[in-house]
Amino acid sequence: MPSLLRLRAAALTASAVLLSTLLAGCGDDAKDEDLTRQDLSWKGCPAPDAAQGGGTSPSPLPDDGEWQCATMKAPLDWDDPKGDTIGLELIRVRTTGPENARIGSLIFNFGGPGGSGVTSLPAFAEGYEKLRTRYDLVSFDPRGVGRSEPVICENDQQLDAYFQQDATPDDAAERTELVDNTKEFNDACEDNSGKILPHVRTTDTARDLNLMRQVLGDDKLHYFGISYGTELGGVYAHLFPSRVGRAVFDAVVDPTQNPEQGSLGQTKGFQRALDNFAEDCVSQVEECPIGDSAQDVKDRIARLLADLDRNPIPGIFPRQLTQTQATSGIAQALYSQDFWEYLTEGLEQAYDGDGRILLSLADAMNGRSENGEYSNITPANIAINCADDKPRYDTADVERKLPEFRAASDLFGDYLAWSLLSCTDWPVPGAANDPDVSAPGSAPILVIGNTGDPATPYEGARAMVNELGKGVGVELTYRGQGHGAYDSKNPCVQGAVDGYLLDGKVPPTGTVCT
């Protein structure tokens, strides 16, 4: 079961890592001139395929801005840039401004790792209309994701069983079953996607970004990274500091943490968000329907999860709501304050024996569509993290760490501790304990931390600023709720971001928005 920290895409859900010694020898430009000079054939975008999450072709924007898609060739193995290539799927919408005002392309990565940028950008694009006055908005499916050589592991029926399993084992038999299921999943990834698995590290995607910059015709990379996208941006800045243009990191991953530290930090972050949710509910003018006090709200949730561990309830026929899926559904709702009302309603229904809303929220977390098809966000997420993360944990490691995780959250602690087993028996070795994002000589990077962020806790922003180095990271604090800050539509946050990306105005470091 993947860690919630690893599912930090825009649709979900932040920590991939790598070894700086692997970065030696990388110059500013791709080595293969044919690839840097390739012409992209931009055409109307097809409907998303199953790996991207399905659905319909993106609709034109209100000003009739048409979405265009293209496939960019990149080396399968960046250590052999003249060898086999793979196709990376790109999407763009052109700027609304005059050509003489155009700065270039603004490339987005919405996180995950494993989230499809080709589907995410159209979903959120109306919120970036002001940025479009001077940029073409561009996003992409990173290697291993969506239409870009997707990692495929188990089929839809197997994934249904995978997500229903007991991810918080209580005895030896349940521990053995969890380990066996994890190995079965990982073996399926090797069987179905063995060719791409060694080549989905964050360093590989950072090099893809640099190739993309060149192919799009930009001297500098102008970049908006969200969640895991901040880590990708930090790695890019480390590799290519002289090529960083105007860049924003929102919902920032702590680059100093190994998987255990990252999961523990997120355990605290989700508990903090749950505390805020409970306090908000009981502070409403009308009576909170799921508890008389904030503590009562949390106690009732804990009892529900304990009951579901023994006796799942009906969910979306024919599936039941299990303890694991209820935990996932609750976590999904905590990603945005806009979802809190659905969490309240879902809990009300679950207390009456109806698990449909919480299961729907869990499906959103896990990438399951209404027709029962799964996107490849979970396989890609695990593949990227396991290729990046050097540590491997066993059941004895988890059992030693459980008391600390439980102290951080009696609701999320067990789930996130046991999720550390995801990379056990993974066929590709991990690169490092944490990424090198030091970027001396880079242009300023605006780094935004949200004090109420559950998935990428606020403390990560300060750590990113420190690691980027003196004169590079510019810290901005948003005192809000949910995952990320710009999409909250807070005028102060958006004003600072727009001012930098559009006009090059760097806000004072330490700026606080409320």
Side-chain angles (χ1 to χ4, degrees):
M1 189 66 63
S3 165
L4 294 179
L5 179 60
R6 286 6 188 201
L7 293 176
R8 54 181 181 255
L12 310 172
T13 30
S15 112
V17 293
L18 51 127
L19 184 61
S20 61
T21 56
L22 294 179
L23 312 183
C26 298
D28 270 354
D29 297 315
K31 299 175 184 177
D32 190 294
E33 289 300 312
D34 291 336
L35 291 182
T36 64
R37 296 173 182 173
Q38 64 184 290
D39 290 323
L40 299 181
S41 179
W42 293 101
K43 300 177 181 177
C45 296
D49 65 15
Q52 293 173 306
T56 59
S57 298
S59 300
L61 290 170
D63 63 351
D64 293 326
E66 295 288 342
W67 292 101
Q68 298 174 315
C69 288
T71 302
M72 183 186 80
K73 290 182 179 180
L76 169 66
D77 182 351
W78 272 103
D79 289 334
D80 182 19
K82 294 184 181 294
D84 292 344
T85 62
I86 58 175
L88 303 181
E89 194 75 2
L90 277 61
I91 188 169
R92 75 174 181 185
V93 64
R94 302 304 296 269
T95 179
T96 57
E99 184 61 29
N100 62 4
R102 181 180 180 274
I103 295 171
S105 295
L106 180 63
I107 301 178
F108 289 78
N109 181 281
F110 293 91
S116 167
V118 172
T119 59
S120 294
L121 182 58
F124 296 106
E126 288 191 37
Y128 304 121
E129 274 297 289
K130 190 168 184 178
L131 301 176
R132 197 173 150 225
T133 59
R134 300 200 68 188
Y135 293 96
D136 298 339
L137 305 186
V138 179
S139 193
F140 65 108
D141 287 354
R143 53 176 60 217
V145 176
R147 275 200 168 97
S148 298
E149 197 71 28
V151 175
I152 302 298
C153 300
E154 296 184 325
N155 63 34
D156 293 332
Q157 292 73 30
Q158 291 170 321
L159 287 172
D160 272 344
Y162 178 77
F163 287 116
Q164 283 186 302
Q165 70 177 309
D166 189 340
T168 55
D170 301 311
D171 54 40
E174 290 183 352
R175 288 193 293 274
T176 298
E177 183 178 12
L178 178 62
V179 170
D180 289 347
N181 288 343
T182 300
K183 187 176 189 309
E184 183 177 337
F185 180 92
N186 293 352
D187 287 346
C189 298
E190 183 176 21
D191 290 343
N192 295 317
S193 302
K195 179 181 178 181
I196 191 68
L197 294 185
H199 306 295
V200 294
R201 293 188 171 104
T202 301
T203 44
D204 297 312
T205 300
R207 293 168 184 171
D208 294 338
L209 269 177
N210 199 51
L211 175 61
M212 198 179 305
R213 171 190 65 76
Q214 295 169 80
V215 171
L216 291 171
D218 289 336
D219 183 59
K220 304 283 187 178
L221 178 76
H222 306 296
Y223 180 77
F224 200 135
I226 301 163
S227 199
Y228 162 80
T230 67
E231 187 167 313
L232 172 61
V235 170
Y236 181 91
H238 173 72
L239 282 170
F240 309 106
S242 67
R243 295 297 185 181
V244 176
R246 299 176 187 177
V248 173
F249 295 174
D250 187 5
V252 184
V253 174
D254 188 333
T256 67
Q257 294 181 331
N258 64 28
E260 175 196 343
Q261 294 165 331
S263 290
L264 181 60
Q266 196 182 32
T267 301
K268 297 174 183 177
F270 272 97
Q271 183 60 48
R272 182 162 52 198
L274 183 68
D275 293 342
N276 293 338
F277 161 76
E279 291 285 356
D280 179 76
C281 186
V282 299
S283 70
Q284 302 298 320
V285 175
E286 297 181 5
E287 180 181 357
C288 177
I290 54 171
D292 297 327
S293 66
Q295 190 60 50
D296 186 39
V297 170
K298 292 180 284 187
D299 289 344
R300 291 189 68 188
I301 293 173
R303 288 196 297 271
L304 171 68
L305 294 179
D307 290 343
L308 290 172
D309 191 28
R310 297 184 295 269
N311 299 299
I313 61 176
I316 301 171
F317 184 82
R319 295 179 299 145
Q320 292 187 309
L321 178 71
T322 65
Q323 179 194 51
T324 298
Q325 287 169 316
T327 304
S328 296
I330 292 167
Q332 169 66 14
L334 294 175
Y335 270 85
S336 171
Q337 193 167 6
D338 292 340
F339 294 165
W340 286 6
E341 62 180 293
Y342 303 118
L343 178 54
T344 299
E345 187 177 354
L347 290 169
E348 278 190 277
Q349 287 192 3
Y351 296 145
D352 290 333
D354 182 348
R356 286 177 295 175
I357 290 179
L358 289 184
L359 186 53
S360 294
L361 288 165
D363 286 347
M365 171 72 78
N366 297 327
R368 189 186 195 273
S369 64
E370 291 183 0
N371 65 7
E373 292 183 337
Y374 284 87
S375 75
N376 90 310
I377 189 169
T378 293
N381 177 277
I382 293 174
I384 295 166
N385 284 308
C386 294
D388 278 345
D389 293 348
K390 187 174 183 179
R392 298 292 187 255
Y393 302 94
D394 59 23
T395 55
D397 294 324
V398 175
E399 287 169 348
R400 284 194 296 270
K401 303 173 194 307
L402 272 173
E404 188 175 6
F405 275 77
R406 287 170 174 166
S409 174
D410 57 1
L411 196 155
F412 297 107
D414 278 54
Y415 184 99
L416 285 163
W418 284 107
S419 73
L420 293 172
L421 296 181
S422 294
C423 295
T424 303
D425 298 317
W426 189 253
V428 175
N433 290 320
D434 52 60
D436 191 344
V437 299
S438 60
S442 168
I445 297 172
L446 182 57
V447 179
I448 308 170
N450 180 351
T451 58
D453 196 316
T456 49
Y458 166 70
E459 294 79 7
R462 175 64 56 83
M464 178 67 80
V465 167
N466 291 340
E467 291 299 303
L468 287 170
K470 186 176 181 180
V472 178
V474 178
E475 185 176 10
L476 184 149
T477 296
Y478 170 51
R479 300 195 184 281
Q481 301 295 330
H483 187 41
Y486 190 85
D487 287 342
S488 72
K489 299 181 174 58
N490 177 271
C492 172
V493 172
Q494 292 196 333
V497 171
D498 295 346
Y500 182 42
L501 291 178
L502 296 175
D503 302 318
K505 297 178 181 177
V506 181
T509 192
T511 296
V512 177
C513 295
T514 57

